[in-house]
Amino acid sequence: MPNIKIFSGSSHPDLSQKIADRLGLELGKVVTKKFSNQETCVEIGESVRGEDVYIVQSGCGEINDNLMELLIMINACKIASASRVTAVIPCFPYARQDKKDKSRAPISAKLVANMLSVAGADHIITMDLHASQIQGFFDIPVDNLYAEPAVLKWIKENINEWKNCTIVSPDAGGAKRVTSIADRLNVDFALIHKERKKANEVDRMVLVGDVKDRVAILVDDMADTCGTICHAADKLVSAGATKVYAILTHGIFSGPAISRINTANFEAVPCSFVRVPYMHHLTEDIFWTVNEKNESLLCYTQLPLSAACADSPFIPKGIVICNNS
């Protein structure tokens, strides 16, 4: 495949390697380091003149450092005469700050869009943006890929009672997402109205819809501290749901997220395209498997690890999850 070069940032090298392997290409040579004052330094180790360059860097982990590293890599390739530079950003940074919801609040997602454009990006590829209007913040092409096909496939293959399920959005903002999935499955949907005291802290939840004697499947684009989905699971169980699943595109899992999942009423929590920080501390609660179609899946389970997947190796520090073709 001529004229294409793929470079990896430091946020998720495993994802970059999987992409390169799938395309039959070698990752480009790049060295990233920090000076003693924590300035980021990037050195592109090979010529990119006239090449179509793809830089893979997700908005997870050390978000600010990773974003700065991405901007420097884009600019380094652009001023080295790359023909086109595409930023592949599975989890778009600052996506939750997409509107001015109170006085003097910044629209940080727009700022990030401006920074990427000024750095020299010609094209953005991302996945399940927290708010679709972020695409309009750019004057360059943006491809917002959707996890819906993988979600539908996972539901049909792993939930035997999926025909008697209700697809649930944990907030009003995800209503469009769950209605689309519910329509494709020909099942009912519901949503939960939540009121927050402050960021990452839910005050009250109200269920709109019926889940009594049904399997409830929560679908969301992002889970950070997991307070919302864990409260939602409790709400669904109290409303009569027989089982509760949570399917997430971006499992950030920061702070008390894992301990909350461990004590929540979930059958499973499959995720897609994430890098969980400090994964080496989580191997007792999370494992990965590879099925006969060579698709990797990271899944939380309430069963002991030995009973759930006796032959599966422990997950490394970062991995692509639900990597469906």
Side-chain angles (χ1 to χ4, degrees):
M1 191 175 294
N3 302 322
I4 289 181
K5 290 199 174 180
I6 302 173
F7 293 93
S8 173
S10 58
S11 68
H12 203 326
D14 300 294
L15 172 60
S16 305
Q17 188 62 59
K18 285 177 179 288
I19 293 172
D21 291 344
R22 184 65 179 267
L23 295 174
L25 299 173
E26 295 289 333
L27 283 177
K29 298 176 182 178
V30 59
V31 176
T32 59
K33 56 186 178 182
K34 287 183 181 294
F35 294 121
S36 60
N37 66 348
Q38 299 305 302
E39 281 186 7
T40 298
C41 177
V42 176
E43 297 176 4
I44 304 299
E46 57 189 82
S47 174
V48 294
R49 183 179 297 274
E51 304 283 10
D52 192 359
V53 174
Y54 290 79
I55 300 172
V56 183
Q57 180 83 311
S58 194
C60 58
E62 299 291 336
I63 294 177
N64 295 327
D65 285 348
N66 291 339
L67 175 58
M68 196 67 208
E69 182 182 289
L70 173 61
L71 296 172
I72 295 173
M73 291 180 71
I74 292 171
N75 189 251
C77 291
K78 199 65 178 178
I79 64 178
S81 301
S83 174
R84 186 177 72 154
V85 179
T86 298
V88 182
I89 316 172
C91 183
F92 193 85
Y94 291 89
R96 285 177 285 186
Q97 300 180 48
D98 62 303
K99 59 183 177 295
K100 191 170 183 177
D101 55 356
K102 54 188 174 184
S103 298
R104 298 172 296 281
I107 307 177
S108 302
K110 170 62 174 171
L111 176 61
V112 172
N114 290 343
M115 293 165 67
L116 290 166
S117 298
V118 171
D122 299 296
H123 181 204
I124 304 294
I125 299 176
T126 187
M127 186 170 186
D128 264 2
L129 283 169
H130 187 66
S132 294
Q133 70 261 25
I134 292 175
Q135 297 173 80
F137 294 167
F138 291 89
D139 293 323
I140 58 176
V142 177
D143 284 326
N144 181 29
L145 308 180
Y146 295 98
E148 182 178 310
V151 171
L152 292 168
K153 184 177 181 181
W154 192 91
I155 290 173
K156 291 180 179 179
E157 292 182 354
N158 294 276
I159 303 178
N160 295 329
E161 313 93 326
W162 68 266
K163 292 184 179 180
N164 184 38
C165 75
T166 300
I167 310 297
V168 184
S169 172
D171 55 42
K176 186 175 181 180
R177 183 183 301 107
V178 301
T179 54
S180 176
I181 293 173
D183 288 344
R184 295 280 296 275
L185 294 174
N186 195 27
V187 297
D188 292 335
F189 71 92
L191 63 86
I192 293 175
H193 172 67
K194 64 183 179 184
E195 297 176 358
R196 291 185 184 272
K197 287 182 178 179
K198 57 184 179 180
N200 290 329
E201 185 175 323
V202 177
D203 181 27
R204 190 170 69 95
M205 286 188 159
V206 178
L207 175 65
V208 181
D210 182 24
V211 296
K212 186 174 177 58
D213 298 326
R214 297 182 184 181
V215 174
I217 305 175
L218 284 160
V219 179
D220 205 0
D221 68 303
M222 181 185 298
D224 188 354
T225 59
C226 293
T228 296
I229 62 167
C230 290
H231 278 90
D234 293 339
K235 187 70 178 179
L236 293 170
V237 170
S238 65
T242 57
K243 294 180 181 178
V244 179
Y245 294 84
I247 301 178
L248 313 168
T249 303
H250 304 296
I252 298 173
F253 301 143
S254 65
I258 298 301
S259 61
R260 285 176 174 174
I261 291 177
N262 282 338
T263 56
N265 296 296
F266 291 121
E267 295 293 319
V269 181
C271 307
S272 175
F273 290 109
V274 303
R275 183 178 184 179
V276 182
Y278 315 115
M279 183 65 80
H280 53 285
H281 296 310
L282 310 180
T283 50
E284 293 181 358
D285 305 313
I286 297 179
F287 66 92
W288 73 277
T289 62
V290 178
N291 64 18
E292 68 278 1
K293 297 179 182 178
N294 199 33
E295 296 165 341
S296 56
L297 168 68
L298 178 103
C299 191
Y300 161 81
T301 178
Q302 291 180 326
L303 293 173
L305 185 62
S306 57
C309 192
D311 297 327
S312 295
F314 287 139
I315 188 167
K317 189 173 181 181
I319 193 167
V320 181
I321 306 162
C322 277
N323 182 25
N324 294 284
S325 56

